[in-house]
Amino acid sequence: MFRDIFDAIPPSPVSLLEMVEKIEREKGTRVVRFDVAEPMFAPPWNAVKGTMDALLKGKHRYSSSWGVPELRHAITQYLKETRGLDYTPDEILVTTGGKFANFAFFLGLFKPGDSVVLIKPYWTSFRAVPMMLGLKILETWARDPYHLNEEDLKGLMKMRPRGIVVNTPNNPTGGLLDNGDLKLLNDLAEDYDLYVLSDEIDWAYVYDGRRFVSPASLSGLRERTIVTDGFSKIFGMTGWRVGFAVGPQELLRRLHVVQEHTVSAPTTFAQYGCLSALEGLHGPHQHGREGMR
Ligand SMILES: Cc1ncc(COP(=O)(O)O)c(C=O)c1O
């Protein structure tokens, strides 16, 4: 039974990296990947320097299992400036990538047999992780490119799900939830007492004058939503493996339990590099030389 579930889990695009490198080496060609969301720009130079400085200053030890306090403070400012959200540093958990923040959401807030709603099309890991954890998955299609289908969602509520995942801007369509979608999400979450995962890792990839609104900016959603985000997609810092989960303490402390007993905390000097990346948003911006492929 256990084996069957693992055999059925689709691979993540990251697992193809070695194969891609082998093709590039053997064929002497460059593979342009559309399967993995990895920016082609280099990380900011101050992030690289901040990471090196941290090592030289002896930041070699474990950090707080919640993440470096200065970084958590800087993330509260970032959330305020980028999407108008008000959180305090004790509502921020710095994680090993956005991926681990999502994992901790599923493990921390649900028990095996609980159902969660996924909106198709979605990124592979939104299905893989709940499958691993023995959760039931309920699926509905978005209306193109990423709007909620009220009738289908209301139909799914009869199955009594405990949670729902939204990913705006959406990977893979790039679509955004609009105000009507957010109002519907708010009403469903309140009426059916759902936990909401709002994966906002691509928040800045918004085009054509459209506007990204975080679901957590609606008061009915804020208290039941975990926002996840990170440094991979916006800062080109995929290899740092730093992300964060944001939410009310009552929920977030459960995600913290998952982190403290598994990875302890993200890499300390990588967190300082991320702090420098955020500080650099207010100063001159320079890309580093490394990282371009
Ligand atoms: C929607 C979504 N969430 C999370 C992640 C993972 O990001 P991280 O590198 O921070 O773990 C990805 C990466 O492809 C993604 O597409």
Side-chain angles (χ1 to χ4, degrees), residues 32-150:
V32 177
R33 296 186 65 182
F34 290 98
D35 61 322
V36 71
E38 183 152 38
M40 294 176 81
F41 55 84
W45 172 244
N46 53 339
V48 176
K49 188 168 175 310
T51 306
M52 293 192 300
D53 286 349
L55 274 168
L56 293 171
K57 283 183 194 149
K59 304 289 186 189
H60 307 149
R61 304 176 78 94
Y62 292 128
S63 76
S64 155
S65 51
W66 286 90
V68 165
E70 300 93 307
L71 177 58
R72 279 156 48 214
H73 178 75
I75 290 170
T76 62
Q77 283 182 332
Y78 179 66
L79 290 167
K80 179 80 189 158
E81 286 165 16
T82 57
R83 58 211 94 167
L85 296 179
D86 281 309
Y87 285 95
T88 56
D90 65 356
E91 293 173 310
I92 311 291
L93 176 70
V94 186
T95 56
T96 28
K99 261 188 175 172
F100 194 81
N102 290 348
F103 175 79
F105 167 84
F106 288 115
L107 183 55
L109 299 182
F110 303 94
K111 58 182 184 328
D114 283 352
S115 302
V116 289
V117 174
L118 301 183
I119 297 157
K120 295 196 277 187
Y122 52 76
W123 172 63
T124 41
S125 298
F126 289 137
R127 179 180 177 78
V129 173
M131 274 176 80
M132 283 180 218
L133 298 174
L135 308 187
K136 290 190 192 126
I137 294 163
L138 305 174
E139 294 182 340
T140 165
W141 278 100
R143 284 187 296 106
D144 193 37
Y146 193 61
H147 295 293
L148 302 184
N149 186 324
E150 181 166 2

Side-chain angles (χ1 to χ4, degrees), residues 37 97-99 102 123 126 167 171 199 201-202 232-233 241-242:
K99 261 188 175 172
N102 290 348
W123 172 63
F126 289 137
N167 170 215
N171 175 5
D199 183 323
I201 195 115
D202 286 317
S232 291
K233 317 292 179 185
R241 308 306 307 126
V242 181

Side-chain angles (χ1 to χ4, degrees), residues 132-244:
M132 283 180 218
L133 298 174
L135 308 187
K136 290 190 192 126
I137 294 163
L138 305 174
E139 294 182 340
T140 165
W141 278 100
R143 284 187 296 106
D144 193 37
Y146 193 61
H147 295 293
L148 302 184
N149 186 324
E150 181 166 2
E151 205 182 316
D152 286 3
L153 278 169
K154 285 193 168 152
L156 284 185
M157 293 302 135
K158 296 193 184 101
M159 317 279 284
R160 291 279 160 209
R162 297 287 300 121
I164 183 167
V165 175
V166 290
N167 170 215
T168 179
N170 173 251
N171 175 5
T173 68
L176 287 167
L177 293 180
D178 65 18
N179 288 339
D181 297 314
L182 294 176
K183 164 92 176 57
L184 173 62
L185 182 65
N186 186 89
D187 293 349
L188 289 174
E190 281 186 334
D191 292 350
Y192 295 93
D193 196 18
L194 305 174
Y195 291 131
V196 180
L197 171 60
S198 176
D199 183 323
E200 302 180 7
I201 195 115
D202 286 317
W203 70 267
Y205 292 94
V206 175
Y207 306 97
D208 307 330
R210 290 174 308 157
R211 203 167 74 86
F212 160 68
V213 182
S214 168
S217 56
L218 278 73
S219 57
L221 286 172
R222 190 194 187 281
E223 65 193 45
R224 52 182 70 250
T225 297
I226 296 289
V227 172
T228 60
D229 195 349
F231 292 85
S232 291
K233 317 292 179 185
I234 308 299
F235 295 91
M237 296 171 68
T238 47
W240 266 254
R241 308 306 307 126
V242 181
F244 46 93

